[in-house]
Amino acid sequence: MAQYDVKICCMGAGYVGGPTMAVIAKMCPRIKVTVVDLSQKIIDAWNTGNKLPIYEPGLEEVVAVGLKRGNLVFSTKINESIAEADIVFISVNTPTKTAGIGAGRAANVKNCELCARTIAEVSTSDKIVVEKSTVPVRTSDAVRAVLEHGAKPGVKFQVLSNPEFLAEGTAVPDLETPSRVLLGGMQTPEGLKALETVVNVYANWVPRDKILTTNLWSSELSKLVANAMLAQRVSSVNSISALCEATGADISEISRACGTDPRIGPKFLQASVGFGGSCFQKDILNLVYLCESYGLRECAEYWNWVVQMNEYQKSRFSLNMVRSMFNTVTGKKIAIFGFAFKKDTGDTRETAAAFIARDLVEEQARVHVYDPQVSRESMFAEFKYTLNLSEETKPGLGELVVTSPDAYSAAQGAHAIAIATEWDEFKTLDYKKIYDSMAKPAFLFDGRNIVDAAALREIGFTVYSIGKPVGMK
Ligand SMILES: NC(=O)C1=CN([C@@H]2O[C@H](COP(=O)(O)OP(=O)(O)OC[C@H]3O[C@@H](n4cnc5c(N)ncnc54)[C@H](O)[C@@H]3O)[C@@H](O)[C@H]2O)C=CC1
Ligand SMILES: O=C(O)[C@H]1O[C@H](OP(=O)(O)OP(=O)(O)OC[C@H]2O[C@@H](n3ccc(=O)[nH]c3=O)[C@H](O)[C@@H]2O)[C@H](O)[C@@H](O)[C@@H]1O
């Protein structure tokens, strides 16, 4: 039997737990990594090695290394895996609360607490418990209290915070060459020793100067702030896109002109139909709630506007579609290109595309959606979860929303195309062929500014791009 230097157990085999642990296993042959989940279906999918539960470029190859070598295991044997581990990562979902105190804003840390209870219950040896989930600042206090109160005699726990900064679609490069790894711990001799143990895991492939250590609360809060600041840039640029449409300025030129200043930088200045994803909105609302809880009303309002601006951008997009199409889309076929919240992922959580589809369906349009990675099942799950939109709340939804096998059939006979996700394949479609197959006038609303609007206008399309007045290149 193989001998390992360290044994890791990760609770939660989702978008974060799966890729993060697969990379640790790949980079550290002397570490055994077991990823556990409550869902047998998810664990079975990871174990296939080639039909993974999530789509992420390059991930199959990374998972294959650990599975083949035997130091990466996916399992539902939660208790046994925790019991044999030296380090336990908690990487479970922390969604926005839907009921009770702070509903709609506060993060629900129920799953983290349950993990802590399980760890306390089954541990017969000391463990380092690492919060990888994104949590409100000071959640580690609660985790520590649960662990200490539930611990078997003589068993000691150290709690660390190690938030994850990977972005979906680029998870593998983000994990293999991270901008930084952040680790927070208690500034006590035991806390610092635990920090050093986990620093040593990452130091197998991450340069030491990129491994930042802080106190627990700074680490927890930095994660919320990083997401809030990234989302703030998108909302800022989106707010200016509305001003561009009104004045004749061009948002792409503005992003370039401002982003060239090294103090501002070029990234996250791409105007869009609105940001989506499971975390930006959730984490900002969590920050808003924290500010409110500490009586910091102005700070709460400030960050809340990042979310408000995003809502405005999404509704502005669908309103512009309806207005441009002579104030009615009733009975019209409309193609939506892309449903994932960004390219290179099949994740639909909080995707702007769902909001656009909802608004169009409310107007009784017939919406035909094509996305290379999103199944009809996930699309309808997202409608229900985020928008409470289902056959029960909107009879006939199943017929109004059609999932198409490709972009051409989605657009066939349609009055308009809305590009909601920036998949590369949408840049190189045969738009002449698409135009010829559409009802006229043929509209194209580019929610990602990825098509060559001038070339499409040459073909005959009426093109609307974000942050560019009609008729502009
Ligand atoms: N999705 C992303 O790109 C990122 C997410 N995060 C944060 O990481 C955390 C996890 O997010 P995702 O991986 O996206 O969530 P996810 O929903 O994809 O995965 C969470 C998994 O945890 C499992 N789980 C829940 N309770 C459990 C328990 N008691 N024992 C074992 N498994 C349990 C669920 O079955 C699920 O498979 C969240 O706090 C999120 O905010 C942080 C950075 C990036
Ligand atoms: O905590 C998380 O879950 C993660 O959230 C984001 O990652 P992710 O949501 O996967 O994707 P992003 O690339 O940040 O995009 C988020 C949304 O903003 C949109 N966006 C992004 C950049 C931009 O310039 N314009 C823009 O509209 C994207 O299309 C997408 O809908 C952060 O980038 C990660 O660092 C973080 O770990």
Side-chain angles (χ1 to χ4, degrees), residues 147-456:
L147 289 169
E148 280 171 6
H149 286 281
K152 292 194 195 312
V155 176
K156 298 239 172 335
F157 296 104
Q158 275 300 320
V159 180
L160 302 184
S161 157
N162 173 217
E164 184 48 59
F165 296 105
L166 70 80
E168 289 178 28
T170 53
V172 172
D174 290 347
L175 289 165
E176 292 194 341
T177 48
S179 55
R180 78 293 203 197
V181 167
L182 180 59
L183 280 161
M186 294 297 281
Q187 305 298 299
T188 57
E190 299 80 11
L192 293 172
K193 189 164 167 254
L195 269 177
E196 193 51 28
T197 304
V198 181
V199 165
N200 285 335
V201 170
Y202 283 106
N204 278 289
W205 79 98
V206 181
R208 285 264 174 171
D209 61 351
K210 290 195 170 172
I211 306 177
L212 315 181
T213 54
T214 63
N215 78 29
L216 267 172
W217 331 127
S218 306
S219 173
E220 290 177 326
L221 189 53
S222 295
K223 172 63 197 178
L224 298 183
V225 175
N227 272 358
M229 290 179 86
L230 288 170
Q232 182 205 41
R233 282 173 71 95
V234 178
S235 274
S236 296
V237 88
N238 281 344
S239 78
I240 301 300
S241 73
L243 189 58
C244 285
E245 286 163 34
T247 58
D250 178 338
I251 196 64
S252 306
E253 294 181 349
I254 293 190
S255 293
R256 186 159 55 93
C258 297
T260 313
D261 183 332
R263 294 170 302 173
I264 297 174
K267 295 186 177 161
F268 271 74
L269 291 181
Q270 176 66 46
S272 67
V273 58
F275 62 74
S278 63
C279 294
F280 273 6
Q281 173 163 320
K282 163 176 84 72
D283 293 350
I284 297 170
L285 293 175
N286 187 346
L287 187 63
V288 168
Y289 183 70
L290 275 166
C291 293
E292 280 173 358
S293 309
Y294 288 98
L296 305 169
R297 193 173 52 87
E298 286 78 3
C299 306
E301 276 176 17
Y302 174 76
W303 289 108
N304 199 36
W305 266 103
V306 175
V307 176
Q308 295 300 313
M309 187 51 64
N310 198 48
E311 294 299 312
Y312 170 67
Q313 189 74 349
K314 290 183 283 191
S315 57
R316 205 167 74 78
F317 188 83
S318 26
L319 187 65
N320 182 39
M321 286 185 74
V322 177
R323 283 212 178 125
S324 310
M325 298 168 74
F326 321 112
N327 286 312
T328 178
V329 290
T330 306
K332 289 179 181 168
K333 175 176 173 178
I334 295 179
I336 297 186
F337 285 3
F339 198 83
F341 80 96
K342 61 187 276 197
K343 73 170 182 179
D344 291 339
T345 177
D347 196 347
T348 61
R349 292 179 286 181
E350 298 283 347
T351 179
F355 290 79
I356 309 306
R358 188 265 322 261
D359 291 351
L360 295 172
V361 162
E362 284 300 319
E363 298 284 334
Q364 298 298 328
R366 294 177 293 119
V367 176
H368 288 235
V369 189
Y370 164 66
D371 187 291
Q373 287 297 335
V374 175
S375 65
R376 185 171 176 81
E377 191 192 355
S378 339
M379 205 178 285
F380 277 75
E382 175 58 20
F383 283 142
K384 189 161 170 44
Y385 185 76
T386 301
L387 298 168
N388 189 26
L389 185 62
S390 63
E391 202 56 49
E392 289 81 63
T393 58
K394 174 88 189 162
L397 181 71
E399 276 141 49
L400 285 173
V401 180
V402 174
T403 29
S404 302
D406 56 64
Y408 295 99
S409 53
Q412 169 102 39
H415 290 252
I417 297 167
I419 300 180
T421 313
E422 73 282 22
W423 285 102
D424 289 338
E425 67 178 76
F426 300 152
K427 295 180 191 165
T428 52
L429 294 169
D430 181 345
Y431 280 101
K432 173 78 175 78
K433 181 173 153 191
I434 289 179
Y435 177 79
D436 288 343
S437 77
M438 288 176 68
K440 306 294 178 320
F443 292 88
L444 189 140
F445 300 88
D446 186 356
R448 296 289 184 167
N449 288 351
I450 55 165
V451 295
D452 180 345
L456 263 59

Side-chain angles (χ1 to χ4, degrees), residues 10-18 36-39 42 54 78 90-95 111-112 114-115 118 132-135 163-168 223 227 278-279 282-283 341 347 349:
C10 174
M11 303 178 79
Y15 283 90
V16 170
V36 295
D37 204 287
L38 298 168
S39 161
I42 288 177
I54 61 174
I78 298 180
I90 300 179
S91 186
V92 296
N93 38 327
T94 48
N111 291 337
C112 293
L114 281 174
C115 287
T118 309
K132 189 162 263 308
S133 296
T134 304
V135 289
E164 184 48 59
F165 296 105
L166 70 80
E168 289 178 28
K223 172 63 197 178
N227 272 358
S278 63
C279 294
K282 163 176 84 72
D283 293 350
F341 80 96
D347 196 347
R349 292 179 286 181

